[in-house]
Amino acid sequence: MSEGSVTEAIAVAGAGRRRRAPGNWRPLLLLVPAFVLVSLFFLAPLIDVFVRSVTDPQPGLQNYAWLVSTEANIAVVLRTFGTAIAVTAVCLLLAYPYAYLMTIVSDRTRNLMQLFIMMPLWTSILVRTLAWMVLLQDTGPINGLLAAWFGIGPVPLIRTTFGVALGMSQVLLPFMVLPLYSSMAKIDKRLLPAASNLGANPVTAFFTVYLPLSRPGIFSGGVTVFILGLGFYIIPALLGSSKETMISALIQQQISVFLMWGQGTALGVFLLLCTILILVVVSRVNKQGSLFPGVER
């Protein structure tokens, strides 16, 4: 084929692609209903919340100034983040061995373990919280057992930060187990015996081989539990007291009780920005491998 023929063929192909280019946008029209739905039910309320936070009761940043200058608000924010961190740590400590056990048992036992971890998700969170109220009250079964066996009691379990963290941990535990199991199931079971054959003791082999490989599950489960813990309302409201108020309860109080929409929406925007910031930071840390710097992904 001559050089002129090749050039002509390329020109024809390019013209054909240019003629077909408008048709390539047609599949994107399928995204229009989803975009409209998200805009109406997600973006529009967010915009309204932000606008209220800087315009109610008058234009300005006074609501955000109130947020950062009031000691009670700072205490609520610190309590919320502290409780969410504690719940995340408890869920990780409980879920990690459970998820690991799921990877080494038989299929039948694994199915039973999955059933046990999924059953709480099939029960109303309100029902579970009411059950915890019965268990943790001063005259409840737990205090009864402590008094009968150890002569202790009544121990204040309800209306405390401990009671709130306990109820949240029970609810959020499945959100930690499932990502961990998904990550651990992909790890080659021969790696730990291989590390032992090379002279590593079981503890060293676990921390240098197995734990770094389960990092994706730790990150995804930890972020999910932590972010969900920041926005909990029912459990802190029923198992806690005014001394255990968290951000969600403070938002409800400002809007429903005091009718201070500007201050309530400012708290909501602050919580949203904190969540976005956490996601960005954790994503960067996970991508760079800063949790286990000596291990390549």
Side-chain angles (χ1 to χ4, degrees):
M1 181 180 292
S2 64
E3 182 178 354
S5 301
V6 173
T7 304
E8 183 179 356
I10 294 175
V12 171
R17 284 196 297 269
R18 286 193 295 269
R19 287 195 298 269
R20 291 192 298 268
N24 293 335
W25 292 95
R26 292 177 183 176
L28 297 179
L29 296 177
L30 298 175
L31 298 177
V32 173
F35 178 77
V36 173
L37 187 65
V38 171
S39 300
L40 290 177
F41 295 100
F42 184 74
L43 294 179
L46 283 180
I47 294 173
D48 180 67
V49 165
F50 176 76
V51 171
R52 284 176 181 267
S53 69
V54 294
T55 58
D56 190 313
Q58 58 186 7
L61 300 176
Q62 66 277 358
N63 293 319
Y64 293 94
W66 164 83
L67 170 61
V68 299
S69 62
T70 305
E71 293 184 3
N73 294 337
I74 297 176
V76 169
V77 171
L78 294 177
R79 184 183 305 114
T80 301
F81 278 83
T83 303
I85 292 173
V87 169
T88 303
V90 170
C91 288
L92 179 59
L93 292 175
L94 295 176
Y96 201 95
Y98 192 93
Y100 174 74
L101 185 60
M102 289 175 63
T103 63
I104 61 176
V105 297
S106 63
D107 292 341
R108 182 176 180 182
T109 305
R110 184 183 302 113
N111 292 334
L112 289 175
M113 295 180 70
Q114 290 178 342
L115 177 63
F116 289 147
I117 203 64
M118 294 297 295
M119 283 180 63
L121 298 179
W122 301 336
T123 307
S124 170
I125 187 173
L126 181 60
V127 174
R128 284 180 284 174
T129 306
L130 293 176
W132 277 114
M133 292 180 64
V134 174
L135 293 173
L136 298 177
Q137 61 184 340
D138 296 339
T139 58
I142 296 179
N143 269 306
L145 292 175
L146 292 176
W149 292 355
F150 304 103
I152 303 175
V155 178
L157 300 175
I158 199 172
R159 296 179 297 276
T160 63
T161 303
F162 171 79
V164 173
L166 184 61
M168 290 174 59
S169 299
Q170 189 265 337
V171 172
L172 294 175
L173 187 60
F175 297 97
M176 182 69 78
V177 171
L178 298 178
L180 280 173
Y181 169 71
S182 177
S183 178
M184 292 178 178
K186 302 175 183 178
I187 300 176
D188 193 337
K189 303 300 184 296
R190 298 172 295 180
L191 293 176
L192 291 180
S196 299
N197 292 335
L198 293 174
N201 59 58
V203 176
T204 302
F206 172 77
F207 281 101
T208 58
V209 177
Y210 196 87
L211 184 62
L213 292 176
S214 63
R215 181 178 63 191
I218 296 175
F219 268 100
S220 57
V223 170
T224 302
V225 170
F226 181 75
I227 291 178
L228 289 176
L230 290 178
F232 258 57
Y233 172 73
I234 294 178
I235 290 179
L238 295 180
L239 297 183
S241 65
S242 57
K243 296 181 180 180
E244 284 73 42
T245 300
M246 296 178 65
I247 289 181
S248 55
L250 186 59
I251 293 174
Q252 186 273 338
Q253 183 186 66
Q254 293 297 322
I255 293 178
S256 300
V257 178
F258 300 137
L259 301 180
M260 301 295 294
W261 280 84
Q263 295 179 357
T265 53
L267 287 167
V269 172
F270 171 77
L271 185 59
L272 176 63
L273 293 178
C274 288
T275 302
I276 295 174
L277 179 62
I278 291 169
L279 289 174
V280 172
V281 171
V282 170
S283 176
R284 288 182 176 273
V285 170
N286 189 28
K287 184 177 181 179
Q288 296 173 0
S290 301
L291 182 62
F292 304 104
V295 178
E296 295 292 338
R297 295 194 64 182

